[in-house]
Amino acid sequence: MNILILGSGGREHALAWAVKQNPKCDRLIVAPGNAGIAQVAECAALDIMDGSAVVQFCANQSIDFVIIGPEAPLAVGVADDLRAAGILCFGPSKMAAQLEASKAFTKDICDASGAPTAGYAHFKDADAARAYVKEQGAPIVIKADGLAAGKGVVVAMDIDTALAALDDMFDGSFGDAGAEVVIEEFMDGEEASFFILTDGENALPIGTAQDHKRAFDGDEGPNTGGMGAYSPAPIMTDAVVAKAMDEIVRPTIAEMAKRGMPYQGVLYAGFMIKDGQPRLVEYNARFGDPECQVLMMRLGAQALDLLLACAKGELDTAQVNWAEDHAITVVMAAKGYPGSYEKGTAINGLDALSQDSKNMVFHAGTALIDGQLSATGGRVLNVTARGDSLKDARDRAYAMIDQIDWPEGFNRSDIGWRAL
């Protein structure tokens, strides 16, 4: 098969790495890709937000299957354009992708399906939102309704922080994403990520993970797109998974189908778990980043078979073959992230690292500049390892980090601390 993956981050590097191992993959192109992806696939300059351009590229390159990585092309309907052209595609339609693109839409789905989630209110008016926050008190959660690259959520432990978050959102700090806000009750408990493939009717759980959103050790500092993750998540016991499937996931899939917008792709559910009861924090319409890196590390070549079964509507015949293993990824980010940071700094030492089924460095924001590997983004490298235990995987990952020479980068030193 000729396969095209859309995206340029660590998630897409991990997907490419897993897909390339499957003998069904004859040719792999990633658009636009990055310096790390270029080591395992062809990279192509392509506007992945332009559905017609993607369709034309597929025709020109005889592409058999397209995997859409990021949320933005899903939200504008690139999957719809591909399916309309008869091209097999992994990823939900524009209508179904509202589960991530609109927090208010997701809350409406939860209300209709009876899925347990936080109490909330939806606002388009800043003054009304401010009045509601003052009435409810803190802690409280402020969310930009639209897509904000994983950063449009503020967990405010006091009223002043909540009001400042509202000011930022309504003043345009998140662009159109913050034109409307959802304000939620603060949910106490332990957070975990759950990944399910669905073809619109069948649902197949494919793994659990825990992310570390805060920038610094001890879960301190500002929220980020994610500073590391590990899989599996111990809090997601068989009993919790069963509850999540019965009370949240399957009712959501049924409600989406009932509304004429069946969901096909990966459904990434964030849960808050307390006393064995999961409540939905949010849905994402794509693989998490950096959670995808640990999932792909554990799934390997079978990932392509699972994505194909999902896209073809054949999930009822698919199964996941898990090894009794653990994986961890540690994000190396540019100093200053998630605020302002320097671009173009040199990264050295990767060539000396062994990269195999247990040790991988997935690139997120890199480019070759005059032959030198350089940092081009905020989150730059995902140092990922697999082991028989989480401690084994963690030790492998941090041993690799010790060999990477990038003075302008930083990373958390405590990824996996909850489980360990």
Side-chain angles (χ1 to χ4, degrees):
M1 298 182 75
N2 294 336
I3 299 169
L4 171 66
I5 298 175
L6 302 184
S8 62
R11 168 182 47 223
E12 289 75 37
H13 190 180
L15 286 166
W17 175 82
V19 164
K20 191 64 181 287
Q21 296 176 49
N22 193 302
K24 289 187 179 72
C25 178
D26 297 311
R27 184 186 181 202
L28 179 60
I29 304 174
V30 182
N34 61 40
I37 292 172
Q39 297 173 10
V40 296
E42 302 172 46
C43 291
L46 176 64
D47 181 0
I48 66 172
M49 298 293 287
D50 184 341
S52 60
V54 174
V55 168
Q56 187 59 55
F57 182 87
C58 290
N60 294 343
Q61 300 295 328
S62 301
I63 297 297
D64 302 300
F65 184 40
V66 180
I67 301 167
I68 302 177
E71 61 272 26
L74 294 170
V76 298
V78 171
D80 304 77
D81 295 331
L82 287 164
R83 291 193 182 101
I87 299 167
L88 189 65
C89 169
F90 177 83
S93 67
K94 179 179 180 178
M95 293 292 286
Q98 290 180 93
L99 277 177
E100 176 168 5
S102 170
K103 306 291 191 302
F105 176 84
T106 297
K107 289 296 189 181
D108 184 52
I109 292 289
C110 288
D111 288 346
S113 63
T117 185
Y120 74 101
H122 174 215
F123 295 94
K124 299 180 181 180
D125 177 74
D127 291 336
R130 290 173 66 88
Y132 180 80
V133 164
K134 291 176 181 177
E135 176 189 337
Q136 295 295 313
I140 198 164
V141 181
I142 314 296
K143 294 184 175 182
D145 181 64
L147 298 176
K151 304 183 190 72
V153 177
V154 176
V155 179
M157 303 309 291
D158 56 71
I159 294 293
D160 288 344
T161 302
L163 295 176
L166 287 174
D167 290 343
D168 284 346
M169 290 179 191
F170 281 113
D171 288 347
S173 292
F174 298 98
D176 293 341
E180 301 178 28
V181 301
V182 169
I183 302 175
E184 292 185 352
E185 69 166 299
F186 174 81
M187 289 192 290
D188 190 24
E190 187 171 347
E191 202 165 351
S193 302
F194 186 36
F195 294 87
I196 308 99
L197 295 183
T198 174
D199 53 18
E201 180 179 355
N202 304 291
L204 179 68
I206 61 163
T208 65
Q210 277 190 313
D211 186 15
H212 296 65
K213 282 289 187 189
R214 299 284 183 169
F216 309 125
D217 284 6
D219 289 334
E220 298 290 334
N223 261 349
T224 70
M227 294 300 294
Y230 59 95
S231 174
I235 191 72
M236 291 294 293
T237 63
D238 290 346
V240 171
V241 166
K243 270 182 172 285
M245 290 297 292
D246 291 343
E247 298 177 9
I248 301 174
V249 175
R250 289 193 182 96
T252 296
I253 293 169
E255 179 64 24
M256 294 293 285
K258 178 181 172 184
R259 296 187 181 203
M261 49 182 80
Y263 190 100
Q264 183 264 76
V266 62
L267 193 56
Y268 157 22
F271 296 137
M272 188 66 73
I273 302 154
K274 186 176 182 180
D275 300 328
Q277 176 62 52
R279 299 171 76 190
L280 183 73
V281 176
E282 64 180 3
Y283 279 128
N284 291 297
R286 37 71 192 180
F287 282 105
D289 187 344
E291 294 95 335
C292 184
Q293 288 81 314
V294 288
L295 289 179
M296 291 304 121
M297 199 75 179
R298 296 184 66 212
L299 286 170
Q302 67 177 314
L304 176 57
D305 297 322
L306 295 171
L307 301 191
L308 281 168
C310 182
K312 292 177 177 179
E314 298 172 355
L315 271 182
D316 56 330
T317 63
Q319 66 177 22
V320 184
N321 297 310
W322 284 115
E324 291 294 325
D325 62 357
H326 298 255
I328 194 167
T329 188
V330 181
V331 171
M332 297 189 74
K335 288 178 179 176
Y337 173 83
S340 58
Y341 51 84
E342 184 180 358
K343 293 184 179 181
T345 56
I347 303 169
N348 294 297
L350 295 190
D351 291 344
L353 297 178
S354 60
Q355 302 206 29
D356 50 41
S357 63
K358 288 195 172 183
N359 308 274
M360 275 300 300
V361 178
F362 296 118
H363 293 225
T366 64
L368 281 178
I369 300 176
D370 297 328
Q372 170 66 55
L373 182 67
S374 303
T376 58
R379 293 187 298 167
V380 176
L381 299 173
N382 307 134
V383 183
T384 312
R386 186 164 64 94
D388 294 333
S389 68
L390 182 59
K391 184 180 184 304
D392 179 27
R394 182 183 184 278
D395 290 347
R396 287 175 181 272
Y398 281 107
M400 284 193 282
I401 285 174
D402 288 343
Q403 298 178 66
I404 296 173
D405 178 15
W406 182 33
E408 294 80 12
F410 81 99
N411 59 272
R412 283 183 55 162
S413 65
D414 63 346
I415 302 302
W417 70 267
R418 289 187 191 88
L420 292 170

